[in-house]
């Protein structure tokens, strides 16, 4: 007997037929004797509809009332799944955020989960009743409805798993696991059996949109084992094995490989300040105002000083913030003292990720050589303990991902026709 | 300064533009310095959509989960109206059923309101904050969401008015008051300035669908003054005066008239059991099984016994229950001992209603003469202290209503073109 949290996204909850499919998946685990809490998203499209209402009512809507409105989507699906489970012969009841309760901060529309009370829940689970919990919602100390921000249901599921001391948190999505890279770019991408929290964080934050980043961070902190798998099952009704997201200690040496995956991200834009005076405080004069404006700066490259005593500074910002970033810098032109402000949104960040690179030199060198051999120019470089990222022209994105996937030995074995 | 409960139905809440119109109506009262609670229905059609989901999930849905699902419609509109009020410069907040709380019985899907806690609400009203309360919902002692049954928002509004000791409960609907009869049948029907609770109960239960019957009964019990008026306002933004529903003591003699209104109801069907043995217990043998089957019998006529020692018994049941009623009676044929079972769904009940008839004889006689003069055959008769009802063939419905409206002097003065 295990304790399992099962989480289903909006696509899995879109309509009663799909909710019945979810009920069948839950029933399989319940029949096996497990104690189960199910965390559900709103029906696909429903949250957008509700958010649209709030925006139409006022562009400056009160986030406390926004939370009342948008949390209703998950309330609906949790009640419906409880009904569908009962119809399938599985005792079930819904527990809304204020009923458990799931205590959160009062940062409405982006609240953080605090304590989740589990006494009543545990008694109910012990009585073999499946708990259906709406994701994304909680209740503040002031007894107001809160929501966690978009995609928050993954975080709800991980928090529930931590509070319940669950053996596993199964996240059902419309993909069947985490791949070595985007299979739409590399058809020979392989599904990973296991990936570490750290790797998943790097893969997620650079474009592998399988799980909300926050939920992975929480799982790492709380030691919750996550399994990502598809809610679309085969004829036997059983889901195919997905990808486990676990602590590094659970990765065998045998399984370990240098590079786990290749990610790409087209959401950054490049900004270059040419001929910035090479003196103390120059860099602070650039990045201070951007931080004040709430603009996240990612990759930063400072060239060697010119003989003139000036230098070029290049960095990336989210494309959505590019206009604001340029505006902010122009206003600081006198203080910073640059000669030219150049920008280019047509860039992509390519990252190779893997905990294995900690103990192996040469990962970066292989990357540069591989890209160089194909004539792909590297515009900037950033490295962390388990990641090397390069900025390239956007047109080279797919080529760069494919050649790196091959270079690091990630391609699945070719299937030879019989 | 007065305390006012304002209630808006689903048509008034259908979309943000209409919710803004509602906000403007609330703002008028708030600007006048009143303390205001607004009770809202779900957007028109939304409750049907949610009920449809529950039924699709299981024909035997758990009413506790049904309540979780369907109560979300009013949750959405209460949040949106709070946002729209704030945008109009009126401080407002939503109070969900479990937040006030509105305590109810645990009869899910048809719960009865118990105590409504008002301490927090009163503090909020005193701070000039408009309270927006979703109608139709409450919370049980077991901390589960409950709903009051369809149309329950009127009852929520009256219960809120009673708990708050409000001076008035204004119910905004898509009609602008209570008329002497259906204006679609009699264009010269007049809007009533005042009507008593008792009259309203009789008018509502026989077809004038302006207010939920239950809410009128509660208002009578609690002494809540209800005003029915239209949410569709003129160019000056002010609603036109509607109809006040009040205690009999508030009706002046000057205003009092013999008959207040004429109602019709096409939802009944006539059943006749021919040649029932005229012996003690015969009637109980007929109506006992129908009561057991939960079928409401309305008008009952027993003819004088035939010389053969048998009698005919005629009564009406709701059309929706006709098939079940016939089935129930056929099963009891041996016990009851009737010769023939005859039914006719093509009938209508016409009622004249008025507290004035208590002190005046001849109301029924006028009715029979008026209908007789037009050759309208009376199939059954029922009377109460303030109502006389007759059953006629359905085809005569409109004619009967029109001639009675004229006979009792209810027609509005004819407007002569200048």
């Amino acid at each position: 007997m295990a304790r399992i949290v099962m989480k289903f996204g909006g696509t899995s909850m879109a309509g009663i037929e799909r909710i019945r499919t979810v009920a069948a998946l839950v029933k399989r685990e319940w029949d096996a004797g497990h104690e189960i809490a199910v965390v559900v998203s709103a029906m696909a499209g429903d949250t957008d509809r509700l958010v649209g209402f709030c925006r139409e009512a006022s562009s400056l809507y009160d986030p406390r009332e926004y939370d009342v409105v948008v949390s209703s989507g998950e309330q609906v699906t949790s009640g419906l799944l409880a009904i569908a489970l009962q119809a399938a012969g599985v005792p079930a009841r819904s527990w809304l955020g204020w009923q458990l309760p799931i205590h959160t901060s009062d940062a409405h529309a982006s609240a953080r989960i605090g304590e989740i009370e589990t006494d009543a829940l545990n008694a109910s689970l012990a009585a073999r009743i499946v708990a259906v919990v709406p994701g994304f919602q909680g209740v503040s100390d002031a007894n107001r409805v809160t929501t966690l921000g978009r995609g928050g249901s993954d975080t709800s599921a991980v928090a529930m798993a931590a509070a319940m001391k669950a053996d596993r948190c199964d996240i059902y999505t419309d993909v069947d696991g985490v791949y070595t890279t985007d299979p739409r770019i590399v058809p020979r991408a392989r599904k990973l059996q296991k990936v570490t929290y750290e790797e998943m964080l790097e893969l997620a934050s650079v474009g592998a949109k399988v799980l909300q980043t926050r939920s992975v961070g929480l799982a790492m902190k709380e030691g919750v084992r996550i399994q990502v798998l598809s809610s679309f099952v085969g004829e036997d009704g059983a889901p195919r094995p997905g990808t486990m997201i676990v602590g590094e200690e659970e990765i065998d040496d045998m399984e370990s490989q240098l590079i786990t995956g290749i990610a790409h991200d087209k959401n950054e834009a490049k900004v270059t300040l040419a001929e910035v005076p090479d003196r103390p405080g120059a860099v602070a004069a650039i990045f201070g105002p951007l931080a004040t404006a709430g603009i996240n700066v990612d990759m930063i490259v400072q060239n060697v000083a010119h003989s003139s005593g000036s230098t070029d500074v290049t960095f990336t910002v989210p494309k959505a913030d590019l206009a604001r970033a340029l505006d902010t810098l122009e206003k600081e032109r006198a203080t910073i003292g640059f000669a030219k402000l150049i920008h280019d949104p047509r860039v992509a960040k390519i990252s190779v990720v893997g905990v294995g690179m900690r103990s192996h030199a040469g990962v970066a060198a292989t990357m540069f050589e591989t890209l160089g051999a194909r004539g792909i120019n590297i515009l900037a470089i950033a490295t962390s303990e388990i990641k090397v990222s390069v900025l390239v022209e956007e047109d080279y994105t797919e080529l760069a991902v494919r050649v790196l996937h091959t270079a690091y030995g990630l391609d699945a074995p070719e299937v030879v026709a019989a």
Side-chain angles (χ1 to χ4, degrees), chain A:
Chain A
M1 197 275 291
R3 281 205 152 184
I4 306 173
V5 170
M6 305 173 74
K7 187 263 169 180
F8 294 90
T11 312
S12 303
M13 302 305 288
I16 302 299
E17 267 320 306
R18 293 201 180 166
I19 290 175
R20 264 196 263 277
T21 304
V22 167
L25 283 165
V26 174
K27 182 173 159 56
R28 283 181 67 88
E29 302 285 13
W30 185 82
D31 284 342
H34 301 314
E35 291 184 355
I36 299 160
V38 189
V39 176
V40 296
S41 296
M43 292 189 187
D46 214 25
T47 305
D48 286 339
R49 179 177 67 89
L50 296 165
V51 170
F53 281 145
C54 291
R55 291 196 176 137
E56 195 186 341
S58 172
S59 53
L60 295 166
Y61 52 77
D62 181 343
R64 293 169 298 189
E65 302 299 343
Y66 165 95
D67 282 352
V68 167
V69 174
V70 299
S71 64
S72 68
E74 284 76 10
Q75 177 170 332
V76 168
T77 48
S78 56
L80 292 175
L81 179 57
I83 291 173
L85 282 166
Q86 291 176 3
V90 178
R93 74 154 279 191
S94 62
W95 295 87
L96 301 180
W98 57 272
Q99 285 174 323
L100 273 173
I102 297 173
H103 296 288
T104 74
S105 70
D106 61 0
H108 284 274
S110 60
R112 300 195 75 84
I113 294 180
E115 198 201 346
I116 298 178
E117 292 184 30
T118 53
D119 289 352
L121 179 73
N122 283 336
S124 180
L125 292 174
R128 297 278 290 141
I129 299 168
V130 170
V132 184
V133 178
F136 179 57
Q137 67 176 240
V139 65
S140 71
D141 289 345
N143 212 31
R144 300 291 296 259
V145 176
T146 54
T147 67
L148 310 182
R150 294 304 293 269
S153 290
D154 288 345
T155 304
S156 297
V158 171
M160 281 295 297
M164 289 166 55
K165 300 184 178 30
D167 299 282
R168 213 169 71 219
C169 180
D170 289 351
I171 309 247
Y172 288 82
T173 70
D174 45 9
V175 300
D176 63 351
V178 181
Y179 279 74
T180 48
T181 196
D182 186 341
R184 286 168 303 183
I185 294 179
V186 183
R188 291 177 68 190
R190 285 184 298 109
K191 184 164 71 183
L192 294 161
Q193 281 190 289
K194 285 187 180 175
V195 62
T196 67
Y197 301 120
E198 293 87 344
E199 288 168 336
M200 191 64 205
L201 280 173
E202 295 291 4
L203 290 169
S205 66
V206 292
K209 285 167 192 155
V210 178
L211 275 180
Q212 206 205 11
T213 307
R214 233 169 111 191
S215 68
V216 180
L218 182 64
M220 179 161 72
K221 177 167 162 272
E222 300 284 348
V224 172
R225 303 176 82 239
I226 295 180
Q227 182 176 204
V228 174
L229 65 179
S230 169
S231 56
F232 297 100
V233 298
E235 285 186 11
D236 63 346
R240 282 175 293 175
T243 300
M244 293 294 307
I245 306 170
V246 295
E248 210 169 320
E249 67 285 357
E250 286 198 47
I251 308 275
D252 299 338
D253 276 350
M254 290 295 290
E255 297 166 332
S256 126
Q257 46 191 10
L258 195 60
I259 295 301
T260 304
I262 318 278
H264 68 280
D265 180 4
K266 296 184 177 180
N267 295 313
E268 298 277 314
K270 183 175 72 120
V271 177
T272 298
L273 296 174
E275 295 175 44
V276 178
D278 187 23
R279 54 172 168 72
V283 170
I286 297 169
F287 296 112
L290 291 173
T292 304
I295 297 167
N296 274 327
V297 172
D298 185 21
M299 307 173 89
I300 302 176
V301 183
Q302 184 175 353
N303 290 0
V304 178
H306 303 293
S307 55
S308 64
S310 69
T311 181
D312 297 342
V313 178
T314 294
F315 54 88
T316 62
V317 297
K319 268 183 197 166
D321 293 334
L322 178 59
R324 274 200 311 132
L326 297 176
D327 190 49
T328 302
L329 292 166
E330 281 293 357
K331 283 183 184 145
E332 300 288 331
R333 187 169 201 135
T335 315
I336 304 170
F338 56 86
K340 273 192 294 186
L341 178 57
I342 305 159
H343 65 273
D344 183 1
R346 295 191 46 76
V347 294
K349 182 164 74 166
I350 313 292
S351 304
V352 300
V353 175
V355 291
M357 73 173 70
R358 280 196 187 128
S359 49
H360 287 82
V363 167
T366 300
M367 190 174 193
F368 305 153
E369 283 163 18
T370 305
L371 297 176
R374 295 299 185 125
I376 302 171
N377 194 22
I378 295 173
L379 308 173
I381 300 167
T383 62
S384 78
E385 214 182 341
I386 65 165
K387 180 179 75 167
V388 181
S389 301
V390 297
L391 200 66
V392 301
E393 284 177 48
E394 191 175 2
D395 288 344
Y396 290 103
T397 308
E398 291 76 10
L399 177 63
V401 169
R402 282 183 201 125
V403 296
L404 291 171
H405 199 264
T406 302
Y408 289 107
L410 295 175
D411 291 353
E414 199 152 1
V415 178
V416 182

